[in-house]
Amino acid sequence: MFSIAENLQDLSLRLQRACEQAQRAAKDVTVLAVSKTCPPEAVRQAYAAGQRAFGENYVQEAVDKMAALADLRPHLSWHLIGPLQSNKTRVVAEQFDWVHSVDRLKIAQRLSEQRPAHLPPLQVCLQVNISGELSKSGLTAAEVPAVAQAVAALPRLQLRGLMAVPAPAEGLAAQREPHRALAALFAQLRATGLVLDTLSMGMSHDLEAAVLEGATLVRVGTAIFGSRPLKPV
């Protein structure tokens, strides 16, 4: 039987090796534990092992989990990484710390309007459909500059960077290509004067490729929690 604590330790070593290969400091890459479809107890175990940032795909499941883990709330950072519909922006604005999946200006505007004044600004990333997949959410690369400027100007939000979920690829070289493209777009935005610090890219199967191309945050689920159902029960 796998141990979440042991998995996190193994992941740390794997990340350290990737950073050494990229000639980067391991402290410059944050692990976001993707806890979707995991029970609250799994999050508690990860917390006990030192993990603090958790990513969720399904809004209602995440809110229920937050309630079950209310005692840990001051110590945890909750990130929405799944698609966000307009009718769920209010609860997300009220409950989450980060949203990685902002894929249109309308969503950002609603989050800005609905973020409570007593909370810190909501940290957001723009989701980019970097592989051009018809089945995936996200802005095209061409749309990103204008949307980024507009989102950066909204109150109660802080634009942190870009996120992408590239199409699966075999081999390190093929995996690096979309991450390289996202990193280039990120650099382009920074060159315009936007203050950005987050490249949310890389998952359990391709985190090495993402780190080599400059990822600052990797979203890891299976390598920490094991295989799980695709949707919450």
Side-chain angles (χ1 to χ4, degrees):
M1 185 175 180
F2 74 88
S3 159
I4 289 174
E6 290 174 356
N7 286 352
L8 280 166
Q9 190 172 35
D10 290 344
L11 177 63
S12 178
L13 293 173
R14 183 180 165 192
L15 187 60
Q16 185 174 346
R17 288 193 296 268
C19 287
E20 288 172 356
Q21 185 180 354
Q23 298 185 318
R24 300 177 61 196
K27 67 177 178 61
D28 293 335
V29 183
T30 298
V31 171
L32 179 65
V34 179
S35 47
K36 66 175 182 180
T37 75
C38 289
E41 182 53 37
V43 174
R44 285 192 184 277
Q45 290 179 35
Y47 170 80
Q51 181 64 32
R52 295 295 181 268
F54 294 88
E56 293 283 334
N57 284 59
Y58 310 109
V59 174
Q60 191 55 54
E61 180 203 353
V63 171
D64 291 344
K65 202 172 297 181
M66 291 177 197
L69 298 164
D71 57 308
L72 298 183
R73 186 64 182 94
H75 311 292
L76 302 184
S77 176
W78 289 101
H79 300 234
L80 181 69
I81 59 176
L84 177 55
Q85 299 171 336
S86 296
N87 64 351
K88 294 186 178 178
T89 55
R90 182 173 298 279
V91 67
V92 170
E94 293 173 348
Q95 298 290 335
F96 282 82
D97 302 297
W98 282 69
V99 178
H100 293 232
S101 48
V102 174
D103 61 358
R104 53 197 187 278
L105 182 57
K106 176 185 175 183
I107 291 292
Q109 290 169 332
R110 289 178 66 90
L111 290 171
S112 173
E113 293 165 0
Q114 295 166 345
R115 181 67 169 176
H118 70 277
L119 293 178
L122 184 63
Q123 311 298 294
V124 300
C125 291
L126 300 183
Q127 182 171 353
V128 184
N129 187 351
I130 202 65
S131 299
E133 296 173 89
L134 295 177
S135 62
K136 245 173 215 169
S137 302
L139 297 158
T140 66
E143 292 171 328
V144 168
V147 175
Q149 293 289 344
V151 172
L154 292 172
R156 310 301 307 145
L157 301 184
Q158 182 174 356
L159 179 62
R160 297 292 295 270
L162 303 177
M163 183 272 264
V165 185
E170 292 298 325
L172 184 64
Q175 290 174 351
R176 288 182 69 168
E177 287 183 13
H179 297 310
R180 186 180 302 124
L182 191 71
L185 185 57
F186 180 73
Q188 176 187 335
L189 295 178
R190 293 183 68 178
T192 68
L194 289 175
V195 180
L196 308 176
D197 61 8
T198 300
L199 263 177
S200 172
M201 59 186 193
M203 297 182 285
S204 293
H205 67 286
D206 64 352
L207 73 84
E208 286 84 1
V211 169
L212 285 167
E213 295 300 338
T216 65
L217 184 150
V218 291
R219 308 180 305 273
V220 181
T222 303
I224 298 173
F225 299 107
S227 298
R228 291 153 293 160
L230 293 178
K231 292 184 179 181
V233 176

